[in-house]
């Protein structure tokens, strides 16, 4: 079992920045066994993947955030980050971090989410 707790959300004006954090705890997996990602869901819209990081450190991003968001992790702190720059109103959503054992195809562990609101 992996427990995830997000923090760092808030309200900012367009063009601003936020850094989201996701603390993972309650498990004994090695960091190289756990792959993590960030997802978001806006009201009335489907959940979408924002960014992910694999066990070898490789990253991937949704086209809508490439060049603006950066995913990273601190294995010593069991913490995942999402640095969000040049925020746009369309980035407004509830952001969730998720985890899976890297050989699983689906994310099975989810945090409660942190709200990001970007005003024009």
């Amino acid at each position: 079992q992996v427990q995830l707790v997000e923090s760092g959300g808030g309200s900012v004006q367009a063009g601003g920045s936020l850094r989201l954090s996701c603390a993972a705890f309650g498990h004994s997996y090695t960091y190289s066994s756990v792959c993590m990602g960030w997802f978001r869901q806006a009201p009335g819209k489907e959940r979408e993947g924002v960014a992910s990081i694999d066990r070898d450190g490789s990253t991937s991003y949704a086209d809508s955030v490439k060049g603006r968001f950066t995913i990273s992790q601190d294995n010593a702190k069991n913490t995942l980050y999402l640095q969000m720059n040049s925020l746009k109103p369309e980035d407004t959503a509830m952001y969730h971090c998720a985890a899976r054992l890297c050989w699983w195809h689906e994310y099975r562990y989810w945090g409660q989410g942190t709200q990001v609101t970007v005003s024009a």
Side-chain angles (χ1 to χ4, degrees):
Q1 188 75 10
V2 179
Q3 293 176 282
L4 303 171
V5 178
E6 303 96 334
S7 61
S11 297
V12 296
Q13 290 189 326
S17 298
L18 285 172
R19 188 176 82 153
L20 306 184
S21 299
C22 173
F25 58 98
H27 70 91
S28 58
Y29 301 120
T30 61
Y31 74 87
S32 61
S33 298
V34 181
C35 292
M36 301 186 72
W38 287 99
F39 293 77
R40 67 186 181 185
Q41 187 166 20
K45 294 187 177 181
E46 292 187 356
R47 184 173 62 199
E48 64 170 339
V50 175
S52 64
I53 186 164
D54 209 338
R55 67 174 107 186
D56 62 358
S58 59
T59 58
S60 63
Y61 298 91
D63 289 342
S64 58
V65 306
K66 281 182 181 177
R68 299 188 298 122
F69 290 11
T70 302
I71 188 172
S72 62
Q73 60 187 18
D74 184 331
N75 295 320
K77 296 181 179 179
N78 286 331
T79 302
L80 180 73
Y81 301 100
L82 185 68
Q83 178 66 43
M84 305 186 296
N85 299 326
S86 302
L87 282 162
K88 304 176 181 180
E90 51 263 43
D91 294 318
T92 294
M94 182 70 76
Y95 283 71
H96 299 265
C97 69
R100 61 181 174 90
L101 295 184
C102 294
W103 49 92
W104 292 347
H105 294 295
E106 295 181 347
Y107 288 90
R108 298 187 185 180
Y109 303 114
W110 295 84
Q112 291 297 310
T114 184
Q115 177 68 37
V116 172
T117 303
V118 185
S119 58

